[in-house]
Amino acid sequence: NDRQLSPTTTVNYHQLPPTQKPNIPTQKPNTPPQKPNGENKYEIKRKDYKYYKKAHEIIEQMNKNPKVNSIIDVGGWRGEFIKNTNIKGKTIIDLHKIKNESDGITRISDNFLTHSFKKKYNIVTCLQVLEHIDNKNVINFAQKLFSISNKYVIISVPYKWRKEACKWHLQDPVDHAKLFKWTSRTPFETFIVKDTATRLIAVYKVN
């Protein structure tokens, strides 16, 4: 089978009771962008977050398919997230200048929207990125994720954070409807994951 995950359905992870409002931080959850080649406290802080762990679980399920052997993380900073996956071919693309390291990860320092990709990837991840993109570019950005994938796309966004909860965010609040507006696609699985804040993970099958 080409698919190892459960059938097309919406599943909530750590689902909140309907009467309970999502846990929205009163202070900004992110630190300002840091130099990717220095100590990136933001990436290190996130590695134990539940949405990171859930995304890793999803990827490892996909990796049971022997035809899955490549992944690209869009907005992947230095690559701490995909470094911990078991996918053989790992790539990140990020606006920051990033030096390649001897860890098997290909690092591309470029603008995702204008970069010309020479190949497609089995898995494309874009975690906590779309909320930073302005209205002029967010639809093109989201839909380009699918153009470089030949199997799966995984997107995570802050879920229903109030507007201006984080000064770095341009799109809050984000929910399923807004994500559909950007992608023009319906995910076959979604997860609501609660850490210090609440995030939505959407999983799409491309082919």
Side-chain angles (χ1 to χ4, degrees), residues 145-172:
L145 297 171
F146 297 89
S147 74
I148 63 168
S149 172
N150 55 21
K151 289 192 181 298
Y152 308 112
V153 173
I154 303 170
I155 295 172
S156 79
V157 289
Y159 184 61
K160 294 185 177 180
W161 293 19
R162 73 172 186 277
K163 190 173 183 179
E164 299 179 354
C166 173
K167 69 178 182 179
W168 308 105
H169 291 186
L170 303 177
Q171 296 294 342
D172 290 334

Side-chain angles (χ1 to χ4, degrees), residues 68-114:
V68 169
N69 52 39
S70 64
I71 184 171
I72 183 169
D73 191 16
V74 177
W77 293 73
R78 294 175 60 195
E80 294 298 324
F81 174 75
I82 62 170
K83 184 183 291 184
N84 296 314
T85 70
N86 291 315
I87 307 293
K88 292 179 182 177
K90 301 179 178 72
T91 302
I92 62 169
I93 181 167
D94 198 281
L95 268 175
H96 297 88
K97 284 192 173 284
I98 314 166
K99 293 181 180 178
N100 274 319
E101 303 175 17
S102 57
D103 56 4
I105 299 175
T106 299
R107 291 172 170 83
I108 303 170
S109 299
D110 202 0
N111 186 328
F112 172 71
L113 273 174
T114 58

Side-chain angles (χ1 to χ4, degrees), residues 38-97:
E39 181 184 3
N40 193 327
K41 294 180 180 179
Y42 180 56
E43 274 196 307
I44 293 171
K45 180 179 71 173
R46 288 201 300 183
K47 70 181 177 65
D48 293 323
Y49 280 8
K50 289 177 183 175
Y51 84 94
Y52 251 34
K53 291 179 179 180
K54 188 60 187 176
H56 277 133
E57 287 177 17
I58 295 166
I59 290 167
E60 293 314 311
Q61 283 287 89
M62 294 173 174
N63 196 32
K64 292 178 181 179
N65 181 346
K67 294 182 180 180
V68 169
N69 52 39
S70 64
I71 184 171
I72 183 169
D73 191 16
V74 177
W77 293 73
R78 294 175 60 195
E80 294 298 324
F81 174 75
I82 62 170
K83 184 183 291 184
N84 296 314
T85 70
N86 291 315
I87 307 293
K88 292 179 182 177
K90 301 179 178 72
T91 302
I92 62 169
I93 181 167
D94 198 281
L95 268 175
H96 297 88
K97 284 192 173 284

Side-chain angles (χ1 to χ4, degrees), residues 167-199:
K167 69 178 182 179
W168 308 105
H169 291 186
L170 303 177
Q171 296 294 342
D172 290 334
V174 183
D175 57 11
H176 293 81
K178 183 175 280 191
L179 190 56
F180 178 80
K181 178 182 177 182
W182 295 341
T183 63
S184 298
R185 293 172 183 253
T186 301
F188 74 93
E189 280 187 315
T190 62
F191 302 87
I192 303 298
V193 184
K194 181 181 177 183
D195 279 299
T196 55
T198 307
R199 294 175 177 86

